[in-house]
Amino acid sequence: MHEEKAQQKKQQEYELLEELGRGRFGTVFRCFHKTSNKFHAAKLIDKRLLTDSTDRQCIEIEPKVMTFLSPHPNILQIIDAFDDSDFSSIVLELCHPSTLLDRIADGAFSEAHACWVMRQLLEAVAHCHRVGVAHRDIKPDNVLFDWENHVKLSDFGSAEWLGEGGSMSGVVGTPCYVAPEVVLGREYSEKVDVWSCGVVLYTMLAGVPPFYGDSAVDIFEAVVRANLRFPTRIFRSVSSSVKDLIKKMICRDPSGRISAEQALRHPWILNGGD
Ligand code: AMP
């Protein structure tokens, strides 16, 4: 009862403002913290809509993982978390409303711009892997920008702790960005995040992902074939250095795929996409 009152009190410190977006489980609102006079984002998850234990696990893991990973300049900062019988709420640092997905929809990126985003995304992913967390749903929708335009990796609802040996199982992720070993139902490692980052890099430069189809099944088939191509009409003026990095990230065999740390040391990243 005491705990419930404390949670209620915390909740009352925030005033919910307009909706910013919707994710798999929750709705994100801009909010105002009355005590500090600061604006944040609040993600509200209606627990009554969670249908199974996997969904419940997702909403439980997100605040735990985010707290564990904080602070990192390229990982969305968690500010508070509270719960009542119907809603689970997470208060987050407020970011710009347009995600990387919106920015790609506005037009393909120059190599320098793509490099600037990718370096920060890889910094976030390398940090996760160093401390034993896999994100497992890296995609442009989950890449946010703060008001100074720094990359902030978000949505840790599919994240998993890397146990001893670092292997995981379970089909999670988003069709265009998921690694083939996940689709095939195999045990997999944190390298699934590097695959997804490679797909994000390709998508920033081409404006479209490398593997797609009309249905999820068609996309999964294309992912498993992993027939990576760089059509001349799109990649004519793209450097061989970035193609080399993409090939090393979108490598079908996870043991031959580079790590996030290695990707950060690739010459294309070190040279700022030049
Ligand atoms: P999510 O449930 O984390 O996937 O978030 C759903 C959508 O809400 C995102 O695609 C963003 O458009 C928006 N959003 C999430 N977190 C924030 C934030 N911290 N600041 C601003 N917008 C956000």
Side-chain angles (χ1 to χ4, degrees), residues 32-48:
F32 180 65
H33 187 233
K34 296 172 205 162
T35 322
S36 64
N37 272 343
K38 284 188 174 154
F39 288 97
H40 300 300
K43 187 184 214 175
L44 264 67
I45 295 148
D46 187 341
K47 292 196 275 191
R48 294 163 298 187

Side-chain angles (χ1 to χ4, degrees), residues 20-28 41 43 62 76 92-97 99 102 141-142 144 154-155:
L20 296 171
R22 278 167 196 252
R24 215 162 17 125
F25 297 116
T27 308
V28 181
K43 187 184 214 175
E62 185 165 28
L76 191 66
L92 303 158
E93 80 175 289
L94 181 64
C95 282
H96 201 274
T99 67
D102 302 314
D141 335 26
N142 288 337
L144 305 181
S154 77
D155 195 354

Side-chain angles (χ1 to χ4, degrees), residues 117-127 130 193-194 197 245 249 259-261 263-264 269:
V117 172
M118 188 47 50
R119 190 185 46 72
Q120 295 177 73
L121 180 56
L122 285 168
E123 291 284 3
V125 173
H127 174 71
R130 227 177 283 129
D193 287 341
V194 177
C197 286
L245 174 59
M249 296 171 91
S259 65
E261 294 276 7
L264 279 167
I269 294 282

Side-chain angles (χ1 to χ4, degrees), residues 35-91:
T35 322
S36 64
N37 272 343
K38 284 188 174 154
F39 288 97
H40 300 300
K43 187 184 214 175
L44 264 67
I45 295 148
D46 187 341
K47 292 196 275 191
R48 294 163 298 187
L49 301 179
L50 303 177
T51 50
D52 59 27
S53 61
T54 316
D55 287 358
R56 274 187 285 279
Q57 204 181 325
C58 287
I59 68 144
E60 276 165 22
I61 202 160
E62 185 165 28
K64 285 187 192 148
V65 164
M66 291 187 89
T67 306
F68 182 74
L69 293 171
S70 290
H72 185 278
N74 301 116
I75 293 179
L76 191 66
Q77 177 78 35
I78 182 164
I79 290 158
D80 210 343
F82 38 86
D83 240 342
D84 63 25
S85 52
D86 295 334
F87 286 94
S88 209
S89 310
I90 315 178
V91 181

